[in-house]
Amino acid sequence: MDASAEASSIQRQKRRWKTPNWQILGLIAIKYRRLLLGLAVALTFLFVQERLFTMDHRLLQPTVDGVRGLIHYQMGQYRKAAAAYRADLRNGGWREWRSGDEAYAALLKGDLSETTRLIDLKLMKQQDDIEAWLTQGEVALEEGNIHRASDAFDHAVSLDDKHFDALLLSAVAHSRSGDIDRATDRLRHALRHDYVGRRITAYLWALQTAGELRKDSPDGSQWCLLAHYYRYLRIFDPSNTAWARNAAIKAIDSGSRVDDAYITLGVLKEKTGDYHAALSYFLKAVETNPRNPEAYRRAANMYRHRGSDLLNEYRMWKGAYTASSSDGFYRDSLVSFLIDRFGDYPQALELVRQALAQEPQNPDLLEQSANLHQRLGKHEDAIRLYREILTLQPSSPDIFDAIGQSLIYVGRYNDAIASFQRALDFGAHRYRSHHGLGRAYAQQGRHVDSIREYETALQIRGDDIDTRAYLCTQYWAVNRYLDAEACLKHVLHHDLHNKTAMKIYPYVMKGLDHSRHER
């Protein structure tokens, strides 16, 4: 091929691969419009399906108001979304969220006067009705009385400082009154728990408040508060993760509550399984504010994921307690670590004793102290403490069971049997009570009674291997060698090194062989 022919060929190839202009693209689109439309619909469907799959059902209501709420929500208009979802509740959606509380049902329907009437009746009968106080606060929010709403929600928190909806609604009221730091503290306390509230209205108030904060161009500490709201909303829709991260970064850039903002970034990393990055953020929070107990607690949990970093985990739990020693939440966390992970019962008991000095009638602290005395073998002290609990809470079958266990250890078998039977008065299907009776009867040599109780316990709790091993010993004690053999085979199949089973196995085999020879 000569030079001119080759040049001509190259020019034709260039013309052939020349980028089409918009006119040509338009003609192609017209020609293949059905194919392109189908492709667009399919891609849109896949995107929507993926988004809807990750959302909580509360955002997906099959009504006109529900769809309107979802559209506003998807557009980031959280205030309008909350208004639409409330309209859905008033127009029949309330039935999904009714709980037997007539006052709350009236609130869901939007009937504020009826709600107020029913609340007044409830509080006349029971002044410490938390749900009534929350409903009263929500009525005040609807009426724009922020001061009254704050008082109602704060009173509910004083009744139960672990009540998620009380903490969340208190945060909403303080956000609306401009008390940003207190609102952030309330949200931080709510989000440290592994559960959320049941009130759909509380969720909608949080949604609305987040939308209003964002619309008002937040600055300073408002960014950290907004990050906490998005952390809460992320529970129901992971797409809020990006909003939470953005707000936390802005809080750090503004230098406001930087430690809490780092905690938010760490939590977001933790939720993705990136524990190393999460720990880095939590340690930054500790470094920024050594008096932030939640930063230590979160870091302790990350060290726990490592499995072998027990000393650093202890250091973080200790730091959380030291930073907020008056908060029972962090004390209980340290006590649980000392018992379950560190095995330091004396230190755990000392912490509980210090708390009891401040709250001598606290049944939870009394039970912790009693349990620790029991673990330490101080059974008479444990029994005394358990009986103190019964003076405060007489209808406590678990306490009667615990007393029975300690009575066995001190050899008071008849008293132990009476205590277990007292627990059974509250309900016959109690595994721990029947198991305890099995132990007490075995100590008395009442093997037939022991067998009956152990068999009953196993009927209640499927197949607890240790209980079955104890049952094997009772079969052996009454010379039921075939039953003992079958029982032992079952135990050793599931727990090859079970000490109770291994101890009696040769004796059962010897007895079985002897009985066969006698035949």
Side-chain angles (χ1 to χ4, degrees):
M1 181 183 295
D2 58 22
S4 60
E6 185 176 354
S8 177
S9 175
I10 292 173
Q11 288 297 323
R12 285 196 301 272
Q13 290 180 12
K14 286 182 177 180
R15 287 196 297 271
R16 186 180 305 163
W17 297 106
K18 185 177 180 180
T19 303
N21 57 33
W22 288 109
Q23 184 178 7
I24 295 173
L25 288 174
L27 292 172
I28 294 173
I30 292 171
K31 182 176 181 179
Y32 296 102
R33 59 186 181 276
R34 292 183 179 177
L35 177 62
L36 293 173
L37 179 61
L39 182 61
V41 169
L43 291 173
T44 302
F45 175 78
L46 290 173
F47 171 77
V48 171
Q49 184 182 45
E50 182 179 2
R51 281 286 293 120
L52 297 183
F53 182 76
T54 61
M55 287 183 180
D56 187 81
H57 76 283
R58 67 188 62 200
L59 294 166
L60 308 172
Q61 299 302 315
T63 63
V64 172
D65 290 318
V67 171
R68 186 162 55 88
L70 180 60
I71 291 172
H72 286 307
Y73 178 83
Q74 287 292 86
M75 295 173 65
Q77 299 171 345
Y78 284 6
R79 180 178 182 177
K80 292 182 178 180
Y85 285 125
R86 282 199 186 92
D88 173 65
L89 290 175
R90 290 192 295 269
N91 292 326
W94 62 270
R95 293 181 179 86
E96 180 182 351
W97 301 97
R98 58 186 169 185
S99 59
D101 183 338
E102 293 183 1
Y104 188 58
L107 177 69
L108 291 170
K109 297 174 187 178
D111 190 343
L112 299 186
S113 60
E114 178 65 6
T115 304
T116 301
R117 185 186 71 81
L118 291 169
I119 291 169
D120 290 342
L121 290 174
K122 290 184 72 173
L123 291 176
M124 284 177 61
K125 295 178 181 178
Q126 189 175 352
Q127 273 291 315
D128 60 353
D129 189 326
I130 295 177
E131 295 301 322
W133 283 105
L134 294 181
T135 303
Q136 184 182 85
E138 290 201 62
V139 170
L141 277 181
E142 291 279 5
E143 294 173 343
N145 192 335
I146 305 303
H147 178 74
R148 187 182 178 207
S150 294
D151 287 346
F153 297 142
D154 288 345
H155 184 68
V157 172
S158 73
L159 293 172
D160 182 1
D161 64 0
K162 299 181 182 68
H163 196 292
F164 193 97
D165 283 332
L167 290 165
L168 178 60
L169 286 166
S170 179
V172 167
H174 289 302
S175 299
R176 303 175 86 78
S177 69
D179 193 346
I180 302 303
D181 282 336
R182 194 169 185 185
T184 305
D185 287 338
R186 289 296 202 214
L187 274 177
R188 187 177 72 177
H189 287 179
L191 291 170
R192 68 189 184 180
H193 299 294
D194 294 326
Y195 52 83
V196 294
R198 295 177 297 174
R199 288 182 166 237
I200 183 62
T201 47
Y203 168 82
L204 294 179
W205 279 115
L207 186 68
Q208 177 179 337
T209 305
E212 290 170 348
L213 281 171
R214 188 171 68 199
K215 185 178 179 181
D216 292 340
S217 301
D219 56 13
S221 58
Q222 287 183 330
W223 279 117
C224 189
L225 174 60
L226 190 54
H228 281 73
Y229 274 115
Y230 284 130
R231 264 182 61 193
Y232 166 67
L233 295 174
R234 183 208 61 80
I235 297 170
F236 308 97
D237 177 15
S239 71
N240 285 295
T241 298
W243 291 105
R245 183 185 301 110
N246 180 61
I249 291 171
K250 288 183 181 296
I252 293 170
D253 291 341
S254 69
S256 178
R257 298 195 67 142
V258 174
D259 50 325
D260 286 322
Y262 276 133
I263 290 174
T264 291
L265 293 176
V267 169
L268 298 179
K269 286 294 184 181
E270 180 185 351
K271 296 303 180 182
T272 66
D274 191 346
Y275 301 127
H276 179 76
L279 177 61
S280 176
Y281 280 123
F282 296 143
L283 292 178
K284 283 183 180 180
V286 169
E287 181 181 357
T288 303
N289 179 10
R291 302 299 301 171
N292 189 325
E294 190 63 6
Y296 288 101
R297 186 183 76 89
R298 295 281 181 176
N301 281 324
M302 293 304 96
Y303 280 123
R304 169 172 283 191
H305 279 290
R306 290 186 174 183
S308 59
D309 212 340
L310 202 61
L311 288 177
N312 271 326
E313 186 182 345
Y314 169 71
R315 188 167 58 88
M316 291 297 113
W317 286 122
K318 187 79 171 179
Y321 170 72
T322 303
S324 187
S325 57
S326 62
D327 191 330
F329 178 81
Y330 297 107
R331 181 196 63 242
D332 291 346
S333 297
L334 176 57
V335 168
S336 294
F337 169 80
L338 291 171
I339 294 172
D340 300 331
R341 300 270 289 161
F342 225 46
D344 191 343
Y345 300 150
Q347 186 180 173
L349 181 57
E350 181 57 31
L351 288 171
V352 175
R353 281 175 175 162
Q354 291 173 13
L356 272 171
Q358 303 297 320
E359 301 179 75
Q361 299 296 304
N362 186 312
D364 293 332
L365 290 173
L366 285 169
E367 186 172 359
Q368 280 187 335
S369 180
N371 291 342
L372 284 164
H373 277 94
Q374 193 177 67
R375 285 176 182 248
L376 289 165
K378 300 178 179 180
H379 293 289
E380 293 293 353
D381 289 330
I383 292 168
R384 174 181 56 78
L385 289 163
Y386 284 132
R387 294 200 186 283
E388 282 188 45
I389 298 171
L390 289 177
T391 63
L392 300 170
Q393 299 176 341
S395 300
S396 303
D398 289 339
I399 301 302
F400 284 106
D401 281 334
I403 291 172
Q405 295 296 336
S406 280
L407 287 168
I408 288 176
Y409 280 109
V410 298
R412 293 163 57 185
Y413 303 124
N414 285 331
D415 290 340
I417 290 167
S419 192
F420 290 126
Q421 289 174 337
R422 182 71 183 87
L424 286 170
D425 289 341
F426 294 91
H429 296 285
R430 292 187 53 79
Y431 163 82
R432 193 178 177 193
S433 305
H434 287 290
H435 179 276
L437 284 170
R439 283 188 62 200
Y441 287 137
Q443 292 294 331
Q444 290 184 322
R446 296 169 59 179
H447 302 297
V448 173
D449 290 331
S450 179
I451 288 170
R452 181 189 68 246
E453 296 302 328
Y454 278 138
E455 287 179 341
T456 302
L458 286 169
Q459 289 172 5
I460 295 170
R461 184 181 286 186
D463 192 20
D464 184 88
I465 293 302
D466 288 333
T467 302
R468 191 169 292 277
Y470 297 143
L471 175 61
C472 298
T473 65
Q474 298 307 299
Y475 286 145
W476 168 58
V478 295
N479 301 328
R480 289 172 57 177
Y481 298 118
L482 286 174
D483 289 331
E485 180 192 30
C487 180
L488 287 173
K489 285 182 178 179
H490 182 91
V491 170
L492 293 172
H493 175 74
H494 290 87
D495 181 5
L496 185 60
H497 302 290
N498 186 282
K499 292 182 179 180
T500 302
M502 292 176 67
K503 183 178 179 180
I504 67 168
Y505 188 82
Y507 301 105
V508 170
M509 293 299 103
K510 183 178 179 180
L512 188 63
D513 185 59
H514 181 70
S515 65
R516 284 170 177 166
H517 278 92
E518 286 184 345
R519 293 176 187 174

